[in-house]
Amino acid sequence: MSKTRVRFAPSPTGPLHMGGVRTALYNYLYAKQHGGDFILRIEDTDSNRFVPGAEQYIIEALRWCGIYPDEGVDADGKIVEEPSERHPHAPYRQSQRRVIYRKYAEQLVRSGHAYCAFDTAEELEKARAEAEGRGETFIYNHLSRTGLRNSLTLPADEVQRLLEERTDWTIRFRMPEGRTVAMDDLIRGHIEVDTATLDDKVLWKRADELPTYHLANIVDDHLMEITEVIRGEEWLPSLPLHFLLYEAFGWQDSQPRFAHLPLLLKPVGNGKLSKRDGDKMGFPVFPLRWTSPETGETSRGYREDGYFPDAFVNLLAMLGWNPGTEQEIFSLPELVEAFSLEKVGKSGSKFNPDKAKWFNKEYLRMRSDSELTALFLPILQEKGIEAAPGFVEGIVGLIKERATFVQDFWTIASYLFIAPSQFADYGVKAGAASEKPADPKRAADPRAKVWDDAATAPFLAKDVDKFYKPEIFAAALEAMEQAEPEGLEDYIRDHGMPMGKVMNCIRLALSGASSGLGISDILRFIGKEEGLARMHYMQERLG
């Protein structure tokens, strides 16, 4: 039995989609569970689609997820360029291995499994249009009668001349005639395909002296001793060609087993999850923020949106794989132990943005108060607030059950650090409008610091009777002055004051909104003196 060796082989044509991260994760879990190696290889043979920065993005994204290759471009967090005892198959970028592929492409030509094709792009487009005009699907096949120009249809001297004079020719695979390709997939089961339905695919291009994916991945998987190829289902149509290439090279005995993973689907309806879906529904589809070097357009990332990497990994693992139990929360070591390809489904998995948030909320709750405080302190510093770690940790412990992301701590409890500068309508969180830029036209108005037509005016017009009748405010102020925080409710009750209205009036003064933390909790952090100051401030500003 060979040692388990799997690979993740992305193309640097843009940011790594979360579906790609899931493919890397499943490969990693499979390798670790079987005591094998996980290899990272960069398939950059498509020079026309290469995007600067994409390779480093792939490496950084996997590092953020805690997925480090045992061998490959980024083994153990170090970029590997040259072969060594530890990394015998370097380099791991296909563009640096180009001299290898031509040899194998020419071997296939010599054995009769491939041939040279000289059709121009214009000639191929014409042949495609003619086929469509006949109501047929165009298939480039050496048996077709469409006037295609290749070394199987042209005289030998003409072929030699074209090889010497032209630089735009290709080497195509010669699809065998009258064959049914029988294959077994670890997820899909048994598959059979008639070769009459298959193209003679391009394997190598003279123009850039680079292979296509089909040749490069077969040669590299063989040379790197890959035992299982675990990849997305978009490559399933290529499986017959890959089986036939192993056969043509005589590598059947060392051919890897294949597993094609189901797609990640849109939250609503069918179809592959795309960036457009994320833009439309307000969630990221990339692990990290990405700025396009061509357009400058920025796409959101899970890291920058505040997700924990282990929560992101956990949610990806559950998209297509089911452990067979009710357990949903798995650490990476637990995933390694529980994962199996047998429990990966065949059908696509719909992505649920709300479920993604649920995972992050669960992982936030599992973090210690000190860990969360360390993450929250920089957010406070960005807002110009310096607070003692012990004070912040007490607040974090109080509010963490209400939060989904660390940045929610500010939204939930900003009034524990700064006094509210305005008073919001019922149900509007405090602090939101106070962070808007001041209107210069109203700078001279003393109400400008606290008044907001969009929030305060409707509150005064609609809800003042609920929270701010003069007699209610007087009762609330009396309760604050006479009672300690822990005795407020008893004082209000003993003096016959309307509990709900008085407490809501106090909360409005303390937090700037009619909902939030318990009043005794607020006062425990800001103190009774600050609480009274806020009540007098509201009285002054709202009259």
Side-chain angles (χ1 to χ4, degrees):
M1 294 293 290
S2 300
K3 182 181 182 181
T4 295
R5 288 173 60 81
V6 299
R7 49 65 165 185
F8 178 55
S11 299
T13 55
L16 184 62
H17 188 277
M18 59 190 293
V21 182
R22 187 193 63 171
T23 299
L25 173 64
Y26 283 6
N27 274 277
Y28 177 85
L29 296 177
Y30 186 87
K32 297 298 124 185
Q33 186 180 73
H34 291 84
D37 293 331
F38 169 65
I39 295 109
L40 176 60
R41 191 172 72 216
I42 299 296
E43 300 199 342
D44 56 350
T45 56
D46 192 344
S47 54
N48 293 325
R49 297 178 61 213
F50 175 80
V51 174
E55 179 186 318
Q56 186 56 44
Y57 179 95
I58 292 167
I59 290 171
E60 186 178 351
L62 295 182
R63 287 179 181 178
W64 179 66
C65 293
I67 302 173
Y68 285 89
D70 302 290
E71 186 182 324
V73 171
D74 183 47
D76 302 323
K78 297 179 181 179
I79 303 300
V80 175
E81 298 279 358
E82 300 294 334
S84 65
E85 183 177 351
R86 174 84 166 80
H87 307 289
H89 303 294
Y92 296 94
R93 294 183 189 87
Q94 289 184 336
S95 60
Q96 296 173 324
R97 300 167 60 84
R98 66 175 66 206
V99 295
I100 297 173
Y101 307 116
R102 179 168 187 170
K103 176 182 69 173
Y104 287 100
E106 291 174 343
Q107 176 182 326
L108 291 175
V109 173
R110 289 193 302 271
S111 65
H113 292 97
Y115 57 92
C116 299
F118 306 100
D119 314 280
T120 65
E122 293 76 14
E123 289 169 340
L124 289 174
E125 185 57 39
K126 180 182 178 182
R128 187 174 289 106
E130 289 174 351
E132 291 175 355
R134 297 191 299 270
E136 301 172 358
T137 300
F138 175 70
I139 295 179
Y140 192 111
N141 190 287
H142 62 284
L143 298 175
S144 61
R145 300 291 181 263
T146 54
L148 302 176
R149 304 174 68 228
N150 55 60
S151 59
L152 300 179
T153 62
L154 298 173
D157 58 342
E158 178 70 0
V159 170
Q160 189 59 39
R161 184 184 67 80
L162 292 172
L163 289 174
E164 293 172 356
E165 295 179 359
R166 296 263 297 273
T167 59
D168 59 349
W169 52 271
T170 61
I171 292 178
R172 287 182 178 268
F173 183 71
R174 186 175 183 174
M175 192 60 63
E177 305 171 31
R179 284 276 305 275
T180 297
V181 187
M183 305 158 286
D184 290 304
D185 185 277
L186 294 173
I187 294 173
R188 312 283 164 170
H190 189 68
I191 303 169
E192 293 187 357
V193 176
D194 189 337
T195 56
T197 64
L198 303 175
D199 275 312
D200 288 0
K201 293 291 187 184
V202 173
L203 302 178
W204 188 84
K205 300 163 290 176
R206 172 64 179 84
D208 56 11
E209 296 192 338
L210 283 173
T212 61
Y213 169 84
H214 303 296
L215 178 66
N217 97 89
I218 294 297
V219 170
D220 284 343
D221 285 348
H222 173 72
L223 296 179
M224 295 182 185
E225 304 174 90
I226 300 302
T227 57
E228 282 83 20
V229 172
I230 304 169
R231 59 189 181 184
E233 78 169 42
E234 62 269 23
W235 292 111
L236 193 58
S238 300
L239 187 58
L241 171 60
H242 297 171
F243 259 71
L244 291 169
L245 278 168
Y246 276 103
E247 180 183 290
F249 282 121
W251 296 338
Q252 297 98 316
D253 290 345
S254 61
Q255 177 178 315
R257 299 188 298 169
F258 288 85
H260 289 83
L261 305 173
L263 294 175
L264 294 189
L265 303 178
K266 303 171 184 288
V268 180
N270 295 323
K272 185 177 179 180
L273 181 68
S274 69
K275 176 183 174 298
R276 185 177 300 176
D277 300 312
D279 292 342
K280 183 178 179 180
M281 300 183 67
F283 61 86
V285 297
F286 303 126
L288 316 178
R289 181 184 295 132
W290 167 260
T291 301
S292 169
E294 294 96 349
T295 66
E297 180 186 8
T298 296
S299 301
R300 292 165 58 184
Y302 278 87
R303 180 179 65 182
E304 290 75 17
D305 269 23
Y307 284 81
F308 296 111
D310 41 4
F312 178 66
V313 165
N314 197 156
L315 75 90
L316 284 183
M318 305 299 288
L319 290 172
W321 169 75
N322 189 316
T325 66
E326 297 298 317
Q327 183 178 348
E328 291 187 275
I329 302 299
F330 289 86
S331 66
L332 194 55
E334 289 172 334
L335 285 172
V336 168
E337 183 176 349
F339 181 77
S340 69
L341 286 175
E342 289 76 13
K343 293 179 181 178
V344 173
K346 297 179 183 179
S347 57
S349 297
K350 286 186 179 181
F351 174 67
N352 184 344
D354 292 332
K355 189 67 173 182
K357 292 179 180 178
W358 177 85
F359 272 107
N360 206 69
K361 188 178 185 74
E362 292 300 306
Y363 274 84
L364 185 146
R365 288 174 174 175
M366 291 190 291
R367 292 289 198 279
S368 69
D369 294 350
S370 60
E371 287 179 282
L372 295 173
T373 298
L375 296 173
F376 186 37
L377 283 171
I379 296 175
L380 292 174
Q381 291 167 359
E382 288 177 4
K383 297 181 180 296
I385 295 172
E386 295 293 336
F391 176 78
V392 176
E393 186 170 334
I395 293 173
V396 166
L398 178 65
I399 64 177
K400 64 187 286 186
E401 294 295 322
R402 298 168 177 248
T404 299
F405 304 100
V406 171
Q407 57 264 38
D408 291 345
F409 294 162
W410 176 255
T411 305
I412 295 168
S414 60
Y415 50 83
L416 298 181
F417 300 95
I418 57 173
S421 59
Q422 67 176 26
F423 303 94
D425 192 4
Y426 184 86
V428 178
K429 292 179 179 178
S434 64
E435 295 179 5
K436 295 178 181 178
D439 184 347
K441 296 180 180 178
R442 296 167 54 203
D445 186 343
R447 297 183 306 167
K449 295 181 180 178
V450 296
W451 188 270
D452 182 270
D453 291 333
T456 313
F459 165 76
L460 291 176
K462 185 174 68 174
D463 286 333
V464 70
D465 287 342
K466 290 183 181 179
F467 307 116
Y468 200 69
K469 283 183 178 179
E471 61 270 25
I472 294 297
F473 182 85
L477 184 58
E478 177 190 336
M480 276 286 293
E481 288 174 336
Q482 300 301 323
E484 292 303 313
E486 58 274 10
L488 264 177
E489 292 190 15
D490 290 339
Y491 184 90
I492 293 169
R493 192 178 293 109
D494 293 344
H495 287 75
M497 302 175 180
M499 175 71 72
K501 291 185 177 181
V502 170
M503 293 294 279
N504 278 335
C505 184
I506 295 173
R507 179 179 286 106
L508 182 67
L510 300 185
S511 70
S514 52
S515 62
L517 296 172
I519 291 172
S520 60
D521 288 326
I522 297 173
L523 291 172
R524 177 157 56 91
F525 287 99
I526 70 172
K528 181 177 178 179
E529 183 178 342
E530 170 66 14
L532 282 168
R534 292 185 184 188
M535 291 203 68
H536 287 301
Y537 178 84
M538 185 173 77
Q539 181 183 41
E540 174 189 351
R541 292 304 182 184
L542 299 187

Short mmCIF file of all heavy atoms in Angstrom, two decimals, residues 259-298:
data_model
loop_
_atom_site.label_atom_id
_atom_site.label_comp_id
_atom_site.label_asym_id
_atom_site.label_seq_id
_atom_site.Cartn_x
_atom_site.Cartn_y
_atom_site.Cartn_z
N ALA A 259 -12.34 11.42 -6.68
CA ALA A 259 -13.54 11.79 -5.93
C ALA A 259 -13.92 13.21 -6.34
O ALA A 259 -13.10 14.12 -6.24
CB ALA A 259 -13.29 11.71 -4.43
N HIS A 260 -15.14 13.39 -6.81
CA HIS A 260 -15.59 14.70 -7.28
C HIS A 260 -16.64 15.26 -6.31
O HIS A 260 -17.71 14.68 -6.13
CB HIS A 260 -16.14 14.60 -8.70
CG HIS A 260 -15.06 14.35 -9.71
ND1 HIS A 260 -14.57 13.09 -9.98
CD2 HIS A 260 -14.35 15.22 -10.48
CE1 HIS A 260 -13.61 13.19 -10.89
NE2 HIS A 260 -13.45 14.46 -11.21
N LEU A 261 -16.30 16.37 -5.70
CA LEU A 261 -17.10 16.97 -4.63
C LEU A 261 -18.30 17.73 -5.21
O LEU A 261 -18.21 18.32 -6.29
CB LEU A 261 -16.24 17.94 -3.81
CG LEU A 261 -14.96 17.35 -3.22
CD1 LEU A 261 -14.12 18.45 -2.57
CD2 LEU A 261 -15.28 16.26 -2.21
N PRO A 262 -19.41 17.76 -4.48
CA PRO A 262 -20.59 18.50 -4.95
C PRO A 262 -20.36 20.01 -4.90
O PRO A 262 -19.50 20.50 -4.17
CB PRO A 262 -21.68 18.08 -3.96
CG PRO A 262 -20.94 17.74 -2.71
CD PRO A 262 -19.64 17.13 -3.17
N LEU A 263 -21.15 20.73 -5.67
CA LEU A 263 -21.03 22.18 -5.75
C LEU A 263 -21.58 22.84 -4.48
O LEU A 263 -22.44 22.29 -3.79
CB LEU A 263 -21.80 22.72 -6.95
CG LEU A 263 -21.29 22.36 -8.34
CD1 LEU A 263 -22.27 22.89 -9.39
CD2 LEU A 263 -19.89 22.93 -8.59
N LEU A 264 -21.11 24.05 -4.20
CA LEU A 264 -21.77 24.94 -3.24
C LEU A 264 -22.79 25.74 -4.03
O LEU A 264 -22.46 26.39 -5.02
CB LEU A 264 -20.77 25.88 -2.57
CG LEU A 264 -19.70 25.25 -1.67
CD1 LEU A 264 -18.94 26.36 -0.94
CD2 LEU A 264 -20.31 24.29 -0.68
N LEU A 265 -24.04 25.70 -3.59
CA LEU A 265 -25.14 26.30 -4.34
C LEU A 265 -25.57 27.63 -3.73
O LEU A 265 -25.30 27.92 -2.56
CB LEU A 265 -26.32 25.34 -4.39
CG LEU A 265 -26.05 23.95 -4.99
CD1 LEU A 265 -27.31 23.10 -4.92
CD2 LEU A 265 -25.54 24.08 -6.42
N LYS A 266 -26.29 28.40 -4.52
CA LYS A 266 -26.85 29.67 -4.08
C LYS A 266 -27.79 29.45 -2.89
O LYS A 266 -28.42 28.38 -2.79
CB LYS A 266 -27.65 30.31 -5.22
CG LYS A 266 -26.90 30.55 -6.51
CD LYS A 266 -27.86 30.98 -7.60
CE LYS A 266 -27.17 31.14 -8.95
NZ LYS A 266 -26.31 32.34 -8.98
N PRO A 267 -27.93 30.44 -2.02
CA PRO A 267 -28.87 30.28 -0.90
C PRO A 267 -30.31 30.08 -1.35
O PRO A 267 -31.08 29.39 -0.70
CB PRO A 267 -28.72 31.60 -0.12
CG PRO A 267 -27.36 32.10 -0.48
CD PRO A 267 -27.15 31.68 -1.90
N VAL A 268 -30.66 30.69 -2.49
CA VAL A 268 -32.02 30.57 -3.02
C VAL A 268 -31.92 29.99 -4.43
O VAL A 268 -31.29 30.57 -5.31
CB VAL A 268 -32.73 31.94 -3.07
CG1 VAL A 268 -34.14 31.77 -3.62
CG2 VAL A 268 -32.77 32.56 -1.68
N GLY A 269 -32.54 28.85 -4.65
CA GLY A 269 -32.55 28.26 -5.98
C GLY A 269 -31.28 27.49 -6.30
O GLY A 269 -30.36 27.38 -5.49
N ASN A 270 -31.24 26.96 -7.51
CA ASN A 270 -30.11 26.17 -7.95
C ASN A 270 -29.05 27.06 -8.58
O ASN A 270 -29.25 28.23 -8.84
CB ASN A 270 -30.57 25.11 -8.96
CG ASN A 270 -31.50 24.09 -8.32
OD1 ASN A 270 -31.30 23.71 -7.17
ND2 ASN A 270 -32.50 23.65 -9.05
N GLY A 271 -27.90 26.46 -8.86
CA GLY A 271 -26.81 27.21 -9.47
C GLY A 271 -25.65 27.38 -8.51
O GLY A 271 -25.84 27.47 -7.29
N LYS A 272 -24.46 27.44 -9.07
CA LYS A 272 -23.25 27.56 -8.27
C LYS A 272 -23.19 28.90 -7.55
O LYS A 272 -23.49 29.95 -8.12
CB LYS A 272 -22.04 27.39 -9.18
CG LYS A 272 -20.71 27.38 -8.46
CD LYS A 272 -19.56 27.14 -9.44
CE LYS A 272 -18.22 27.14 -8.73
NZ LYS A 272 -17.10 26.91 -9.68
N LEU A 273 -22.79 28.87 -6.29
CA LEU A 273 -22.64 30.08 -5.49
C LEU A 273 -21.59 30.99 -6.12
O LEU A 273 -20.48 30.57 -6.44
CB LEU A 273 -22.21 29.71 -4.07
CG LEU A 273 -22.03 30.85 -3.07
CD1 LEU A 273 -23.37 31.50 -2.75
CD2 LEU A 273 -21.38 30.32 -1.80
N SER A 274 -21.93 32.26 -6.30
CA SER A 274 -21.03 33.19 -6.97
C SER A 274 -20.88 34.47 -6.17
O SER A 274 -21.64 34.74 -5.22
CB SER A 274 -21.56 33.54 -8.36
OG SER A 274 -22.74 34.33 -8.26
N LYS A 275 -19.91 35.27 -6.56
CA LYS A 275 -19.70 36.57 -5.93
C LYS A 275 -20.94 37.45 -6.06
O LYS A 275 -21.29 38.20 -5.15
CB LYS A 275 -18.49 37.26 -6.56
CG LYS A 275 -18.24 38.67 -6.05
CD LYS A 275 -17.07 39.31 -6.76
CE LYS A 275 -16.91 40.77 -6.36
NZ LYS A 275 -18.08 41.60 -6.73
N ARG A 276 -21.61 37.34 -7.20
CA ARG A 276 -22.82 38.14 -7.42
C ARG A 276 -23.88 37.82 -6.37
O ARG A 276 -24.59 38.71 -5.89
CB ARG A 276 -23.37 37.86 -8.82
CG ARG A 276 -24.56 38.73 -9.20
CD ARG A 276 -24.99 38.44 -10.63
NE ARG A 276 -23.92 38.72 -11.57
CZ ARG A 276 -24.01 38.49 -12.87
NH1 ARG A 276 -25.10 37.95 -13.38
NH2 ARG A 276 -23.00 38.79 -13.68
N ASP A 277 -24.00 36.55 -5.99
CA ASP A 277 -24.96 36.17 -4.94
C ASP A 277 -24.59 36.85 -3.62
O ASP A 277 -25.46 37.35 -2.91
CB ASP A 277 -24.97 34.65 -4.75
CG ASP A 277 -25.37 33.91 -6.01
OD1 ASP A 277 -26.37 34.29 -6.63
OD2 ASP A 277 -24.67 32.95 -6.39
N GLY A 278 -23.29 36.84 -3.30
CA GLY A 278 -22.86 37.48 -2.07
C GLY A 278 -23.11 38.97 -2.08
O GLY A 278 -23.58 39.55 -1.09
N ASP A 279 -22.81 39.63 -3.21
CA ASP A 279 -23.05 41.07 -3.33
C ASP A 279 -24.52 41.40 -3.16
O ASP A 279 -24.90 42.39 -2.53
CB ASP A 279 -22.55 41.58 -4.68
CG ASP A 279 -21.04 41.52 -4.82
OD1 ASP A 279 -20.36 41.43 -3.77
OD2 ASP A 279 -20.54 41.55 -5.95
N LYS A 280 -25.38 40.55 -3.75
CA LYS A 280 -26.81 40.80 -3.72
C LYS A 280 -27.40 40.59 -2.34
O LYS A 280 -28.28 41.35 -1.89
CB LYS A 280 -27.50 39.87 -4.74
CG LYS A 280 -29.00 40.07 -4.86
CD LYS A 280 -29.58 39.14 -5.92
CE LYS A 280 -31.08 39.33 -6.05
NZ LYS A 280 -31.66 38.42 -7.08
N MET A 281 -26.91 39.57 -1.63
CA MET A 281 -27.51 39.20 -0.34
C MET A 281 -26.69 39.65 0.86
O MET A 281 -27.07 39.42 2.01
CB MET A 281 -27.73 37.69 -0.30
CG MET A 281 -28.66 37.18 -1.39
SD MET A 281 -28.98 35.40 -1.28
CE MET A 281 -29.91 35.32 0.25
N GLY A 282 -25.52 40.26 0.61
CA GLY A 282 -24.77 40.85 1.70
C GLY A 282 -23.90 39.91 2.50
O GLY A 282 -23.83 40.03 3.73
N PHE A 283 -23.22 38.98 1.82
CA PHE A 283 -22.27 38.11 2.53
C PHE A 283 -21.07 37.87 1.62
O PHE A 283 -21.17 37.97 0.40
CB PHE A 283 -22.92 36.78 2.92
CG PHE A 283 -23.41 35.95 1.76
CD1 PHE A 283 -22.56 35.08 1.09
CD2 PHE A 283 -24.73 36.03 1.35
CE1 PHE A 283 -23.02 34.32 0.03
CE2 PHE A 283 -25.20 35.27 0.28
CZ PHE A 283 -24.33 34.41 -0.38
N PRO A 284 -19.91 37.56 2.19
CA PRO A 284 -18.72 37.30 1.37
C PRO A 284 -18.73 35.89 0.80
O PRO A 284 -19.35 34.99 1.37
CB PRO A 284 -17.55 37.50 2.35
CG PRO A 284 -18.15 37.20 3.69
CD PRO A 284 -19.60 37.56 3.64
N VAL A 285 -18.03 35.70 -0.32
CA VAL A 285 -17.83 34.36 -0.87
C VAL A 285 -16.35 34.03 -0.93
O VAL A 285 -15.97 32.95 -1.40
CB VAL A 285 -18.46 34.20 -2.27
CG1 VAL A 285 -19.96 34.39 -2.22
CG2 VAL A 285 -17.84 35.17 -3.26
N PHE A 286 -15.50 34.94 -0.44
CA PHE A 286 -14.06 34.72 -0.42
C PHE A 286 -13.58 34.69 1.03
O PHE A 286 -14.13 35.39 1.88
CB PHE A 286 -13.33 35.81 -1.19
CG PHE A 286 -13.77 35.96 -2.61
CD1 PHE A 286 -14.19 37.19 -3.11
CD2 PHE A 286 -13.78 34.87 -3.47
CE1 PHE A 286 -14.62 37.32 -4.41
CE2 PHE A 286 -14.18 34.99 -4.78
CZ PHE A 286 -14.61 36.22 -5.26
N PRO A 287 -12.55 33.91 1.33
CA PRO A 287 -12.06 33.85 2.72
C PRO A 287 -11.48 35.17 3.21
O PRO A 287 -11.66 35.54 4.36
CB PRO A 287 -11.00 32.75 2.68
CG PRO A 287 -10.60 32.64 1.25
CD PRO A 287 -11.83 32.97 0.46
N LEU A 288 -10.77 35.88 2.32
CA LEU A 288 -10.13 37.15 2.67
C LEU A 288 -10.61 38.24 1.72
O LEU A 288 -11.05 37.95 0.60
CB LEU A 288 -8.60 37.04 2.56
CG LEU A 288 -7.92 35.80 3.13
CD1 LEU A 288 -6.42 35.89 2.87
CD2 LEU A 288 -8.22 35.64 4.61
N ARG A 289 -10.48 39.47 2.16
CA ARG A 289 -10.81 40.59 1.27
C ARG A 289 -9.89 40.55 0.05
O ARG A 289 -8.70 40.25 0.14
CB ARG A 289 -10.64 41.92 2.00
CG ARG A 289 -10.98 43.14 1.13
CD ARG A 289 -10.70 44.44 1.85
NE ARG A 289 -11.57 44.60 3.00
CZ ARG A 289 -11.17 44.94 4.21
NH1 ARG A 289 -9.88 45.13 4.45
NH2 ARG A 289 -12.03 45.07 5.20
N TRP A 290 -10.46 40.87 -1.11
CA TRP A 290 -9.69 40.85 -2.36
C TRP A 290 -9.92 42.15 -3.11
O TRP A 290 -11.06 42.60 -3.28
CB TRP A 290 -10.12 39.67 -3.23
CG TRP A 290 -9.61 39.73 -4.64
CD1 TRP A 290 -10.30 40.13 -5.75
CD2 TRP A 290 -8.30 39.39 -5.10
NE1 TRP A 290 -9.51 40.04 -6.88
CE2 TRP A 290 -8.28 39.59 -6.51
CE3 TRP A 290 -7.15 38.92 -4.47
CZ2 TRP A 290 -7.15 39.35 -7.29
CZ3 TRP A 290 -6.02 38.68 -5.24
CH2 TRP A 290 -6.02 38.89 -6.62
N THR A 291 -8.83 42.77 -3.57
CA THR A 291 -8.91 43.95 -4.42
C THR A 291 -8.36 43.59 -5.78
O THR A 291 -7.20 43.19 -5.90
CB THR A 291 -8.13 45.13 -3.82
OG1 THR A 291 -8.66 45.45 -2.52
CG2 THR A 291 -8.25 46.36 -4.72
N SER A 292 -9.20 43.71 -6.80
CA SER A 292 -8.79 43.33 -8.15
C SER A 292 -7.70 44.26 -8.65
O SER A 292 -7.87 45.49 -8.62
CB SER A 292 -9.99 43.40 -9.10
OG SER A 292 -9.57 43.29 -10.45
N PRO A 293 -6.56 43.72 -9.10
CA PRO A 293 -5.51 44.58 -9.63
C PRO A 293 -5.89 45.23 -10.96
O PRO A 293 -5.31 46.24 -11.34
CB PRO A 293 -4.32 43.61 -9.81
CG PRO A 293 -4.93 42.27 -9.94
CD PRO A 293 -6.18 42.30 -9.11
N GLU A 294 -6.88 44.65 -11.66
CA GLU A 294 -7.30 45.23 -12.95
C GLU A 294 -8.28 46.37 -12.78
O GLU A 294 -8.16 47.42 -13.41
CB GLU A 294 -7.94 44.15 -13.84
CG GLU A 294 -6.98 43.06 -14.28
CD GLU A 294 -7.07 41.84 -13.39
OE1 GLU A 294 -7.72 41.93 -12.33
OE2 GLU A 294 -6.49 40.80 -13.76
N THR A 295 -9.27 46.19 -11.90
CA THR A 295 -10.35 47.18 -11.79
C THR A 295 -10.32 47.98 -10.50
O THR A 295 -10.96 49.03 -10.40
CB THR A 295 -11.71 46.47 -11.87
OG1 THR A 295 -11.86 45.61 -10.73
CG2 THR A 295 -11.81 45.63 -13.15
N GLY A 296 -9.59 47.49 -9.49
CA GLY A 296 -9.59 48.15 -8.19
C GLY A 296 -10.80 47.80 -7.36
O GLY A 296 -10.95 48.27 -6.22
N GLU A 297 -11.71 47.00 -7.89
CA GLU A 297 -12.91 46.59 -7.15
C GLU A 297 -12.52 45.71 -5.97
O GLU A 297 -11.71 44.81 -6.09
CB GLU A 297 -13.87 45.83 -8.07
CG GLU A 297 -15.13 45.36 -7.38
CD GLU A 297 -15.99 44.48 -8.26
OE1 GLU A 297 -15.53 44.10 -9.37
OE2 GLU A 297 -17.11 44.14 -7.85
N THR A 298 -13.13 45.98 -4.82
CA THR A 298 -12.85 45.23 -3.61
C THR A 298 -14.01 44.30 -3.27
O THR A 298 -15.17 44.71 -3.31
CB THR A 298 -12.58 46.17 -2.42
OG1 THR A 298 -11.40 46.94 -2.70
CG2 THR A 298 -12.35 45.39 -1.14
#
